[in-house]
Amino acid sequence: LVGFDCSIFDVASGKRRRNTLSYAAGEETTREFVCVAFSAENKFLITQGGPPDWTLVLWSWDKARPHGAVKVSNQAGSVIHECSFNPQDPYNVCVIGDGVFKFFRLQEGVFKPIPNQLSKLREASNQNYVCHAWLHDDKLIVCSESGDALLFDNGGEFKMVLPCSPGEPRSLLCVAAFRMGFVAGGEGGVVRVYDKAEDKEMFRKAKEIKLDGAAGERSGPSGPGAGAVTALAVSPSEETLAMATSSSQLLQLSMSPSDIMKEESTVDNVLTSFHSGQILGLDACVRKPLVVTCGTDKSVRIWNYVERTQDLCKFFGEEAYSVAFHPSGFHLIVGFSDKLRLMNLLMEDMRTYKEIPIKACKECRFSHGGQFFAAVNSNTIQVYKTYTCEVVCNLRGHQSKVRSVCWTADDSKLVSTGQDGAAYEYDIIKEGRRFSDWAQKGTNFSCIIAYTTMDNAAQTNTMYVVGSDKMLKEIQGGENINCLESNAMLGQLALASQARALFAGVAEPELPGPLRCYNFPLDGDYVEYQAHSAPVARIRLTCDEQYLFSAGDDGCLIIFDVKKKVPSKRDKDGALGYADEILVTRAFLDDKQAALLDLERQVEELTSRIDFQLRHRDSYHKEKMAELQEKYSEEIETERRKYELQREEKAEKEMEYEENIRYLKETHTKQTQELEQSFQQKMLVEVQRYQKLAQDLEREKQEWEIQHASILQEQQAEVDEMRKEFEQIQRANRDAQDRIIKEKELAFKSHQETLAQLEQDADREIEELKEMYVQKLAQEKDEKLRLRGQAGIHKKYRDDLERQMQKKQDDVKKEEEKNRTKEEEIVTLMKDSESNQKEIKERDKTIQDKELRIYDLKKQNQELEKFKFVLDYKIKELKAQIDPKTADIESMKKQTQAMDDELNDYMRKNKQLALDISQLQMKQRALQEEIKSQKRRLRDDLSLIKRFKLDLSDCIENLSEPKQLKESMAQLYRKYVQSGTKKLDLDTDMQKEYNRQRDYLEKSVDSLKRKLEKDSQGHRIDNMRIMQENVSLIREINDLRREINALKHERTAQELQAMGASGGKDSSAQQQLEQELTMQREQMAELTRHLQSLEQTAPQMGMQGGAAVTQGGAAAGHVAGSPSLLDGGPPSVAAFVSDVDGGASPEPPASLGGDAGRASPTGGEAAGVGDADATLPSEGPADGGEATG
């Protein structure tokens, strides 16, 4: 708070509550208040005055009456920063400053300092204290400029320097308390939050927040940083923290626990961002409720004065010295240090569309119609057309820099003034010809305005100028027609002709800047309104004269409502309202449309995703509810059964305990009788012991009384002797004092007589010397020297006497001091004697009380010994009963733990087995696919053989015709031998793939063997049972296979005999067919050997693991199922050909597939596969064997 007085306002209504508080003491009156604070109950107010006296005043603010005042600064006049009330005592006040830390208490209208430990400890270091705060537990936090946080108790006693102090210079410039701790702010825009640690007197840093630049600033270069945090305030609900920074920003931070725990905290502007320096330019719009400002912080800001918001802010690379707003609200002129820029005001940006080479333009104005604008270029004014930027005219005439320009009402003329003390009126219509001028040399004018009146169709312009001469001048037609003394330097003017008022801003350097409202026409009367804390830089009035804007060097933009009797232009019926149009670019609209479409698409995606998630969640919840319901019903049933069991156990325990209690009662009665007998004997012994102790006590008491009496006599004798000695010494001191006083009086009388005699002798000698002066001048000089020496001797003698007298007085004082000390010693000895007597009486009483207490304790001890004996016996009995139960519980716990471990082991093994089963099933499917491919290959071979047979039979028909037989054989050769080479290559690739698959399966079988060996121990019983079943099934399968082979051998032999009858016609064809059959037999024999080796390993795998037996049986069935049909050689091939051609499967393979499916340990799944494969006509009996796995 800076100002000459202190006013109190109601926060709710904004009105002043009481009169202004002002305090004057002597000639040096306080010119400002640097700090104010309310007491905890809001009854008192303290104000800390500024230089030069730094007076602290305590007020009853509701009565505007001071209770007391004191100057709180030190001798050097150090700066005082803050003051506050003690929350527990409104008459205790704390003050801190540069090297100042003091406590004061108001007593009887006077502030009295309270000594504190810190002022003594740090007086030499001259530590600067910048802020302080009272915590919620009535402790005091004081922060120093060096970054230390000092903790004090309620009475001002220093506790410690908090370990969590940052220790950086100027890191703690302000502090505020809240319920959990305190918040501190400092340089660099850093806010630190401290909360209480486990130790009540310790704090820890919970969070550190770095403030960036002011929020809400848009495109362009970044704005200034947040600067230092200068003030903090916590809301009453402790949900919001308000922060003020050195860059003139007011920020807020959420203090809720959830937001504090977040890593990133959001700091927002309380209202909007503000200028962080002087405001240099100001202008208002006509068609829109907007006002534009620019300043030294290199920003241009657009404000909406109806909604009280900031619409747009943009930072630039240079300072903006002046700004003008087009009446339409679509264009701006900004004068930068390098150029004058014309800008379009878009929806979210300011875009430059023209640059004019005018450097550091300090003044620019649009005309009222907006078709022209004027810009100051040093001592020249350049007028341009707004929409073409063509130069209309250059207005010259000023000898120094132009400081202010103003358009007349019809935009036909322009008035200007500057530092040369001249005021000119230019006619823009006549190419800038000077219409009138007036000058006052030696005056620096700062502002000029023009007022147009119509008189008989003649237009008259009146100019009003202000400047450094502290005068308000009215100029018309080049003459000064009126002049008013303002008693202050006025900087800016604004005329409200309808309200009949002229507004002026005070621009006194280093003083607050109020606004004055003069009556119009001018009569010298004005009303002054306090506004800025620094000189007023700009003022503007809206076109309807409803609002007045003022901007100052303090960086504030203040809006005033102009109250007037005449209704404004906008208050009339049918008046044009504010425009709501905005200026946007085509690219901006396209971006917005694309963003809108993107957002709509995202909304649709999110809607569908949320619907799907809701449906999925509902189904999941239903399943979960069903599971939980089933689980809880089972648990309830289990708990009910446990309850029934425990109730039965309880009944049994109750019966058992009743029997034990009866037994204990009987034993207790017996033990009680025995204890009573033993107690009687002990009592007799203790009574005799007590009587002996009583006799000893009586004897010691008599001895103590004798010693006490002797000590009293000795003490009384010493006191009497000391009293006699003191009286003697006192009499001697009094005699010596009387003697010294008499000697003093005699010495004083003799000194006076000597002095009088000396004066008489000196006068007489002087008279004699005067008579002899003419005759003996040389003798007189010698005599004077002699007399001067004698006077010095007498003076020394007098000084010696005075020193002796002073010495005697000091001796008297010392003797009096000794007397007082002796008297005090006597009084203390008397008090000691009385206290000793009282102590003796109290000790007597204490001894009696102790004896009674000893007697009572003995009785209690006897009773407790009885109870102890009984309770010890009961404890032993209960321990004897508890030990078996404890052993049973421990054994049951161990058994339960073992069962839990075994259950966990079984669950783990079951999971592993399930995983192995799934892997084996996958491998089984791979083997099935491979068998199918082999079947397809075999089928292709059979079809090839069939076609060859048909072609061969056709050749045999031509046996009678050798030529045709030769051609048919050549064609047969070309068809089956030459084209068979490529087929052989294809068969070779298939063989390689088959070998690779076979190697993979062999490796898989080996890995499965190793896994099954590890799990064999836990499944031995099941494995034996499954092994027996598999052995029986394998025997049955082998029997069925033998029957199938026998049947097929017979059928194949029949077919070959039929073919042999026709095969004799051509021996070469028969030979080629036998070669192919031989090759196929070799391949089949190799496959048979491999499958037989697998079949031999199957029983061993069955013995090693249950899962392995089942899968091994499957592999054995797979191996023995299909290739064993080919053991018979060529007849088996013929059997397969007939089966494939006929499309029907023989019955035994089908039953084999069904039995194999039933024998599989996987249950119905494998059986189903076997049955399904057995009924397929295209697969044949081999699929039945495949289903065995």
Side-chain angles (χ1 to χ4, degrees):
L1 176 66
V2 180
F4 298 105
D5 51 30
C6 181
S7 301
I8 299 174
F9 292 85
D10 192 327
V11 177
S13 62
K15 297 181 180 179
R16 182 179 294 180
R17 289 287 301 272
R18 295 293 178 184
N19 295 330
T20 301
L21 307 180
S22 60
Y23 182 81
E27 297 180 356
E28 296 183 352
T29 305
T30 298
R31 302 192 63 187
E32 65 176 357
F33 292 116
V34 298
C35 184
V36 297
F38 284 96
S39 61
E41 71 278 6
N42 295 326
K43 183 178 179 182
F44 299 104
L45 175 73
I46 53 172
T47 59
Q48 177 60 61
D53 51 359
W54 301 101
T55 303
L56 180 71
V57 186
L58 188 142
W59 307 78
S60 287
W61 61 269
D62 54 347
K63 300 178 182 177
R65 180 170 60 86
H67 285 279
V70 64
K71 294 182 179 180
V72 298
S73 186
N74 50 23
Q75 295 179 356
S78 298
V79 176
I80 303 299
H81 296 297
E82 290 184 354
C83 59
S84 65
F85 282 101
N86 187 329
Q88 299 297 322
D89 188 356
Y91 293 101
N92 280 359
V93 178
C94 174
V95 178
I96 64 168
D98 291 349
V100 177
F101 177 70
K102 297 180 179 180
F103 283 92
F104 294 93
R105 182 172 180 81
L106 184 67
Q107 293 180 351
E108 299 177 356
V110 178
F111 275 112
K112 294 184 179 180
I114 301 174
N116 63 82
Q117 184 181 4
L118 186 67
S119 62
K120 297 177 182 178
L121 291 175
R122 302 205 172 189
E123 184 176 0
S125 62
N126 194 21
Q127 179 69 53
N128 294 338
Y129 305 104
V130 293
C131 60
H132 74 295
W134 292 92
L135 303 180
H136 283 254
D137 55 358
D138 298 332
K139 288 185 173 60
L140 178 65
I141 287 287
V142 179
C143 300
S144 66
E145 192 174 17
S146 61
D148 293 334
L150 314 177
L151 183 65
F152 296 82
D153 64 1
N154 190 20
E157 182 181 354
F158 176 69
K159 292 292 186 182
M160 69 176 75
V161 177
L162 294 180
C164 59
S165 302
E168 301 173 2
R170 296 185 62 79
S171 58
L172 300 175
L173 297 181
C174 53
V175 63
F178 67 104
R179 184 177 63 258
M180 300 302 295
F182 63 94
V183 185
E187 284 285 357
V190 179
V191 178
R192 299 174 175 87
V193 182
Y194 298 90
D195 58 6
K196 292 182 180 178
E198 296 179 356
D199 188 353
K200 294 183 179 179
E201 294 186 354
M202 297 296 290
F203 294 86
R204 64 179 181 87
K205 183 169 71 174
K207 191 169 188 179
E208 182 172 316
I209 303 162
K210 182 71 167 66
L211 303 182
D212 297 328
E217 296 150 357
R218 299 189 183 128
S219 59
S222 60
V229 181
T230 57
L232 296 171
V234 181
S235 63
S237 61
E238 296 190 353
E239 292 183 354
T240 305
L241 174 67
M243 298 170 286
T245 66
S246 59
S247 60
S248 304
Q249 304 302 319
L250 186 61
L251 308 173
Q252 64 181 359
L253 172 68
S254 176
M255 290 289 290
S256 62
S258 59
D259 293 336
I260 289 294
M261 295 303 293
K262 293 180 181 177
E263 294 183 0
E264 296 293 334
S265 296
T266 304
V267 180
D268 300 322
N269 292 302
V270 174
L271 297 174
T272 182
S273 60
F274 305 109
H275 283 283
S276 59
Q278 300 179 8
I279 297 179
L280 302 178
L282 172 68
D283 200 8
C285 181
V286 176
R287 287 285 294 123
K288 295 182 180 180
L290 301 177
V291 61
V292 61
T293 58
C294 64
T296 58
D297 59 353
K298 302 180 181 180
S299 69
V300 178
R301 300 171 188 261
I302 307 297
W303 310 85
N304 189 318
Y305 55 81
V306 173
E307 298 178 358
R308 306 291 194 270
T309 58
Q310 176 180 281
D311 283 359
L312 186 60
C313 172
K314 185 172 182 179
F315 284 88
F316 296 89
E318 304 86 17
E319 289 187 9
Y321 295 102
S322 60
V323 66
F325 219 139
H326 193 270
S328 65
F330 293 144
H331 312 291
L332 292 175
I333 300 176
V334 185
F336 291 99
S337 59
D338 56 347
K339 292 180 181 179
L340 181 72
R341 290 182 172 88
L342 276 74
M343 298 183 176
N344 285 327
L345 182 60
L346 304 179
M347 183 176 179
E348 294 180 350
D349 193 12
M350 304 176 195
R351 185 169 297 178
T352 303
Y353 68 91
K354 180 65 177 177
E355 293 183 349
I356 299 175
I358 299 177
K359 294 184 178 181
C361 178
K362 298 295 181 66
E363 185 71 13
C364 58
R365 294 290 292 271
F366 277 106
S367 61
H368 294 92
Q371 71 275 23
F372 303 119
F373 68 88
V376 173
N377 188 358
S378 186
N379 58 353
T380 305
I381 304 171
Q382 297 178 347
V383 181
Y384 294 85
K385 292 182 180 179
T386 302
Y387 299 104
T388 62
C389 294
E390 297 177 356
V391 178
V392 177
C393 57
N394 291 322
L395 308 179
R396 295 181 174 86
H398 286 281
Q399 302 301 318
S400 185
K401 291 183 178 181
V402 179
R403 295 192 61 186
S404 178
V405 297
C406 181
W407 293 87
T408 58
D410 59 353
D411 294 337
S412 63
K413 293 181 177 62
L414 182 72
V415 297
S416 66
T417 188
Q419 296 179 359
D420 56 355
Y424 296 129
E425 182 180 2
Y426 299 96
D427 193 337
I428 305 301
I429 305 299
K430 297 181 180 180
E431 298 180 355
R433 184 175 60 84
R434 190 185 301 173
F435 186 78
S436 65
D437 56 22
W438 179 84
Q440 180 179 341
K441 293 184 178 181
T443 305
N444 183 0
F445 288 122
S446 59
C447 185
I448 186 170
I449 59 173
Y451 174 61
T452 304
T453 57
M454 300 296 293
D455 188 9
N456 296 327
Q459 179 176 326
T460 303
N461 294 324
T462 304
M463 296 183 291
Y464 297 90
V465 295
V466 292
S468 60
D469 58 351
K470 300 183 180 180
M471 303 289 287
L472 175 57
K473 296 180 174 61
E474 184 176 356
I475 301 169
Q476 184 176 349
E479 296 180 357
N480 186 4
I481 62 175
N482 191 7
C483 185
L484 295 179
E485 180 71 32
S486 62
N487 298 322
M489 189 170 72
L490 302 179
Q492 293 290 312
L493 295 175
L495 178 62
S497 57
Q498 294 181 357
R500 298 185 179 278
L502 177 67
F503 299 100
V506 178
E508 286 285 347
E510 298 182 358
L511 288 177
L515 289 180
R516 292 183 178 182
C517 179
Y518 287 90
N519 293 330
F520 188 79
L522 297 175
D523 56 4
D525 294 336
Y526 66 88
V527 179
E528 190 169 274
Y529 299 93
Q530 293 295 331
H532 298 275
S533 61
V536 178
R538 301 274 182 175
I539 61 174
R540 286 289 184 272
L541 196 66
T542 57
C543 66
D544 57 2
E545 299 178 358
Q546 284 187 340
Y547 298 97
L548 175 69
F549 307 100
S550 71
D553 292 344
D554 56 356
C556 293
L557 172 65
I558 300 178
I559 305 174
F560 293 90
D561 287 327
V562 180
K563 305 295 184 183
K564 50 191 176 184
K565 298 179 182 178
V566 181
S568 65
K569 299 176 184 178
R570 297 190 189 275
D571 294 336
K572 297 178 182 179
D573 295 336
L576 185 64
Y578 292 119
D580 56 358
E581 294 86 1
I582 58 174
L583 193 64
V584 296
T585 61
R586 174 68 64 183
F588 177 81
L589 288 177
D590 294 340
D591 294 340
K592 288 293 182 183
Q593 188 68 25
L596 181 62
L597 294 175
D598 189 21
L599 290 174
E600 288 178 353
R601 180 182 57 77
Q602 291 180 7
V603 168
E604 292 177 357
E605 291 178 357
L606 289 174
T607 303
S608 60
R609 188 183 302 171
I610 290 170
D611 292 340
F612 172 74
Q613 290 178 356
L614 289 175
R615 290 193 298 271
H616 178 69
R617 192 176 299 171
D618 290 340
S619 61
Y620 174 74
H621 286 169
K622 288 179 181 178
E623 294 176 359
K624 199 69 177 176
M625 283 295 294
E627 292 177 1
L628 291 174
Q629 188 173 2
E630 183 179 358
K631 177 182 176 182
Y632 289 147
S633 60
E634 292 177 356
E635 290 181 355
I636 289 170
E637 184 65 25
T638 304
E639 294 297 330
R640 187 178 61 80
R641 289 195 296 269
K642 288 182 180 179
Y643 172 72
E644 294 293 337
L645 294 173
Q646 290 178 357
R647 187 171 61 180
E648 294 176 358
E649 292 179 358
K650 178 177 174 292
E652 294 176 356
K653 293 291 182 182
E654 286 178 352
M655 294 174 63
E656 183 179 355
Y657 286 145
E658 287 177 357
E659 294 177 358
N660 292 334
I661 288 169
R662 284 196 299 273
Y663 175 73
L664 289 174
K665 285 182 179 179
E666 294 175 356
T667 55
H668 178 64
T669 52
K670 294 178 181 179
Q671 291 174 359
T672 303
Q673 293 175 358
E674 295 176 356
L675 287 172
E676 286 179 354
Q677 294 176 1
S678 63
F679 175 72
Q680 293 295 334
Q681 295 176 359
K682 291 180 179 179
M683 280 297 295
L684 293 175
V685 176
E686 293 296 331
V687 167
Q688 294 175 0
R689 184 181 175 189
Y690 170 72
Q691 291 175 357
K692 184 178 179 181
L693 290 172
Q695 293 174 1
D696 295 340
L697 178 63
E698 186 67 25
R699 186 177 65 257
E700 289 179 357
K701 188 184 294 185
Q702 292 175 359
E703 292 176 356
W704 182 84
E705 288 177 353
I706 294 169
Q707 291 177 0
H708 179 63
S710 63
I711 290 169
L712 287 176
Q713 291 176 2
E714 291 175 359
Q715 184 181 6
Q716 188 64 33
E718 290 178 358
V719 170
D720 294 338
E721 185 178 355
M722 291 176 69
R723 186 181 290 110
K724 290 177 182 179
E725 291 177 356
F726 173 72
E727 289 175 354
Q728 292 176 2
I729 294 170
Q730 189 176 14
R731 282 195 300 272
N733 289 336
R734 286 175 183 171
D735 295 341
Q737 185 178 2
D738 294 338
R739 186 176 67 257
I740 290 168
I741 291 171
K742 289 177 181 180
E743 291 176 357
K744 174 188 172 186
E745 292 175 353
L746 291 172
F748 184 73
K749 287 178 181 180
S750 62
H751 173 69
Q752 293 293 333
E753 290 175 357
T754 305
L755 187 60
Q757 187 66 33
L758 288 172
E759 289 177 355
Q760 291 176 4
D761 293 342
D763 293 338
R764 186 174 62 253
E765 289 175 359
I766 289 168
E767 290 296 331
E768 292 175 357
L769 289 172
K770 281 182 181 180
E771 293 174 358
M772 298 172 68
Y773 176 71
V774 178
Q775 298 175 1
K776 297 179 181 180
L777 183 59
Q779 294 178 1
E780 185 177 343
K781 289 181 180 179
D782 296 336
E783 190 66 23
K784 278 185 179 180
L785 293 172
R786 186 179 59 81
L787 290 173
R788 284 178 181 173
Q790 290 179 358
I793 293 169
H794 287 296
K795 189 174 182 180
K796 288 181 181 179
Y797 181 66
R798 186 183 65 180
D799 293 338
D800 292 337
L801 291 176
E802 288 178 354
R803 283 195 296 272
Q804 291 177 3
M805 183 175 65
Q806 185 66 33
K807 186 176 180 181
K808 294 295 183 181
Q809 289 178 354
D810 293 338
D811 293 338
V812 171
K813 289 180 180 179
K814 289 180 180 178
E815 293 297 331
E816 290 177 352
E817 188 67 27
K818 288 181 180 179
N819 291 336
R820 282 196 296 272
T821 55
K822 294 295 183 181
E823 289 176 356
E824 290 175 357
E825 288 178 359
I826 291 170
V827 172
T828 53
L829 290 172
M830 294 295 290
K831 289 181 180 179
D832 291 339
S833 176
E834 292 175 358
S835 64
N836 288 331
Q837 290 178 359
K838 290 180 180 178
E839 186 177 0
I840 289 167
K841 292 180 182 179
E842 290 176 356
R843 287 187 177 180
D844 291 338
K845 292 181 181 179
T846 304
I847 289 169
Q848 293 176 1
D849 295 337
K850 291 290 178 67
E851 289 176 352
L852 294 174
R853 181 64 177 165
I854 288 168
Y855 181 71
D856 294 335
L857 289 173
K858 286 180 179 178
K859 288 185 177 180
Q860 292 178 5
N861 190 18
Q862 292 172 359
E863 296 292 331
L864 291 172
E865 284 180 353
K866 295 179 183 179
F867 286 114
K868 179 177 178 298
F869 184 78
V870 175
L871 291 174
D872 288 340
Y873 185 78
K874 288 183 178 181
I875 289 169
K876 290 178 181 178
E877 293 293 331
L878 291 173
K879 282 183 178 180
Q881 296 176 4
I882 289 170
D883 290 339
K885 298 291 182 182
T886 306
D888 294 340
I889 291 169
E890 290 296 330
S891 62
M892 293 176 72
K893 283 183 178 179
K894 291 179 180 179
Q895 186 177 0
T896 304
Q897 184 65 30
M899 293 175 69
D900 291 338
D901 295 339
E902 186 176 359
L903 181 60
N904 292 330
D905 191 18
Y906 278 126
M907 291 175 67
R908 181 180 59 77
K909 290 180 179 179
N910 288 335
K911 290 180 180 179
Q912 184 63 34
L913 289 173
L915 181 62
D916 294 340
I917 289 169
S918 62
Q919 292 178 354
L920 291 172
Q921 287 176 350
M922 292 172 64
K923 293 174 182 178
Q924 179 186 0
R925 285 193 290 272
L927 289 172
Q928 289 175 354
E929 292 296 329
E930 183 181 357
I931 291 170
K932 289 179 181 178
S933 64
Q934 293 292 332
K935 288 180 180 179
R936 284 194 295 272
R937 180 180 175 187
L938 184 61
R939 195 179 301 117
D940 293 338
D941 292 340
L942 293 174
S943 61
L944 180 63
I945 293 169
K946 184 176 180 181
R947 288 195 301 273
F948 181 76
K949 287 180 180 180
L950 294 174
D951 293 339
L952 186 61
S953 62
D954 293 337
C955 292
I956 292 171
E957 291 178 355
N958 296 324
L959 287 174
S960 59
E961 298 178 359
K963 187 176 182 180
Q964 293 180 357
L965 179 62
K966 182 179 180 182
E967 291 177 358
S968 61
M969 290 302 294
Q971 186 178 0
L972 190 65
Y973 177 79
R974 286 192 300 270
K975 183 177 181 180
Y976 289 102
V977 177
Q978 292 181 354
S979 64
T981 306
K982 296 181 180 179
K983 184 70 175 177
L984 184 61
D985 296 338
L986 182 61
D987 293 339
T988 305
D989 294 337
M990 292 176 66
Q991 182 65 33
K992 291 180 181 179
E993 178 66 20
Y994 169 76
N995 293 332
R996 188 179 64 80
Q997 293 289 339
R998 186 184 62 185
D999 294 339
Y1000 170 75
L1001 289 175
E1002 288 176 353
K1003 293 179 181 178
S1004 300
V1005 170
D1006 293 337
S1007 64
L1008 289 173
K1009 286 179 181 180
R1010 288 192 296 270
K1011 288 182 181 179
L1012 292 171
E1013 286 175 359
K1014 295 179 182 179
D1015 298 334
S1016 61
Q1017 295 299 327
H1019 301 82
R1020 183 171 298 169
I1021 298 173
D1022 294 332
N1023 293 342
M1024 292 299 295
R1025 178 178 55 81
I1026 294 170
M1027 182 187 67
Q1028 293 174 359
E1029 292 177 355
N1030 284 337
V1031 168
S1032 61
L1033 289 172
I1034 287 170
R1035 289 199 188 101
E1036 186 177 356
I1037 288 168
N1038 291 330
D1039 295 336
L1040 293 172
R1041 284 174 182 161
R1042 292 190 190 94
E1043 293 177 1
I1044 290 169
N1045 289 330
L1047 292 173
K1048 287 190 176 183
H1049 286 324
E1050 294 177 358
R1051 186 173 180 180
T1052 304
Q1054 294 175 0
E1055 290 177 354
L1056 288 177
Q1057 288 177 0
M1059 290 175 64
S1062 60
K1065 297 179 180 180
D1066 193 351
S1067 60
S1068 60
Q1070 183 69 25
Q1071 187 178 1
Q1072 185 177 1
L1073 180 61
E1074 288 178 358
Q1075 290 178 356
E1076 290 181 359
L1077 290 175
T1078 303
M1079 292 173 62
Q1080 291 179 0
R1081 286 195 194 98
E1082 291 176 356
Q1083 292 179 358
M1084 292 177 185
E1086 185 177 358
L1087 289 173
T1088 303
R1089 286 193 297 272
H1090 177 64
L1091 292 176
Q1092 286 176 355
S1093 64
L1094 292 177
E1095 186 178 4
Q1096 292 175 1
T1097 58
Q1100 297 176 0
M1101 292 171 63
M1103 294 176 65
Q1104 292 175 358
V1109 170
T1110 57
Q1111 296 296 335
H1118 173 62
V1119 172
S1122 56
S1124 61
L1125 299 176
L1126 305 177
D1127 291 340
S1132 63
V1133 175
F1136 262 108
V1137 170
S1138 62
D1139 289 340
V1140 173
D1141 292 339
S1145 300
E1147 198 62 25
S1151 63
L1152 175 60
D1155 294 336
R1158 286 189 295 271
S1160 175
T1162 55
E1165 180 181 357
V1169 173
D1171 294 339
D1173 291 340
T1175 57
L1176 290 175
S1178 61
E1179 300 255 338
D1183 290 341
E1186 177 186 346
T1188 311

